[in-house]
Amino acid sequence: MRYIKKAVWFITAVFSRILPFIIFMLIHAFGEVYTFSWDPIALLEPKNIPVMYGPFLYLYAALGLLIVLLFFMKLPVIARSVILGVIGAQYFMFMRIWDNYINEAGKAEPYKTFYMIIMFSVIAGFILQVTWRSSTAFLKRLWYKQTIKDRKVKR
């Protein structure tokens, strides 16, 4: 029974570590199919998948690794803001590509905003994480001082 528990724990640990990467890949595949850039039948052959993603494969792998590292470093606010930022950036990128396809306007560049949103999500996550940590530390100190003050009054 002990070996089964270890195997299940190992499988869930590996899956939870690669989950952000898988989410980013699925959303990207959905967006490419939605904007008629990919043939959905070509996704059924595993050999074509790395070629279809191109440089986004490495970007999503790096972002997934960054998110895992941020969770291990106990910086969950930054990690969650990066996840939401990447998903939002993908949404806006594919909507811009779709708009270019429909309106036949090739002038609007979707990739600048894609990278800018990711960068701003990292910055916003850092600011939120610092604010959260400093406010909780301040409240703990305030609670400690109030407790000490109440003890002195009782004596």
Side-chain angles (χ1 to χ4, degrees):
M1 190 66 179
R2 183 176 68 188
Y3 296 113
I4 294 173
K5 286 182 183 178
K6 283 186 180 183
V8 168
W9 179 85
F10 181 75
I11 291 169
T12 57
V14 168
F15 183 71
S16 67
R17 268 57 168 189
I18 63 172
L19 190 61
F21 175 71
I22 292 170
I23 290 170
F24 299 153
M25 298 290 281
L26 289 175
I27 292 172
H28 188 88
F30 179 76
E32 291 286 353
V33 170
Y34 181 75
T35 59
F36 302 115
S37 299
W38 288 0
D39 179 22
I41 304 299
L43 284 171
L44 296 176
E45 191 170 336
K47 193 168 51 171
N48 293 338
I49 292 175
V51 175
M52 294 172 79
Y53 279 102
F56 286 107
L57 181 69
Y58 302 112
L59 174 69
Y60 296 145
L63 287 171
L65 182 63
L66 175 72
I67 289 167
V68 168
L69 289 175
L70 287 170
F71 275 123
F72 276 131
M73 292 169 53
K74 296 185 181 178
L75 300 169
V77 176
I78 302 174
R80 290 182 180 115
S81 72
V82 169
I83 290 172
L84 293 176
V86 171
I87 291 172
Q90 287 177 328
Y91 173 77
F92 287 120
M93 180 181 71
F94 289 121
M95 288 299 113
R96 176 80 52 94
I97 291 172
W98 175 257
D99 190 44
N100 289 345
Y101 179 76
I102 295 298
N103 297 328
E104 297 174 2
K107 294 182 181 178
E109 182 68 31
Y111 301 107
K112 289 179 186 176
T113 56
F114 176 72
Y115 295 120
M116 289 283 271
I117 291 172
I118 292 173
M119 183 185 72
F120 286 139
S121 71
V122 172
I123 293 169
F126 178 76
I127 291 170
L128 289 172
Q129 183 73 49
V130 168
T131 305
W132 176 256
R133 288 262 172 104
S134 61
S135 64
T136 55
F138 174 74
L139 290 174
K140 283 180 185 177
R141 259 188 264 126
L142 189 67
W143 183 261
Y144 174 75
K145 288 180 181 179
Q146 184 65 33
T147 306
I148 296 296
K149 184 179 166 185
D150 290 344
R151 285 279 187 156
K152 286 181 181 178
V153 170
K154 287 182 180 179
R155 286 185 181 178

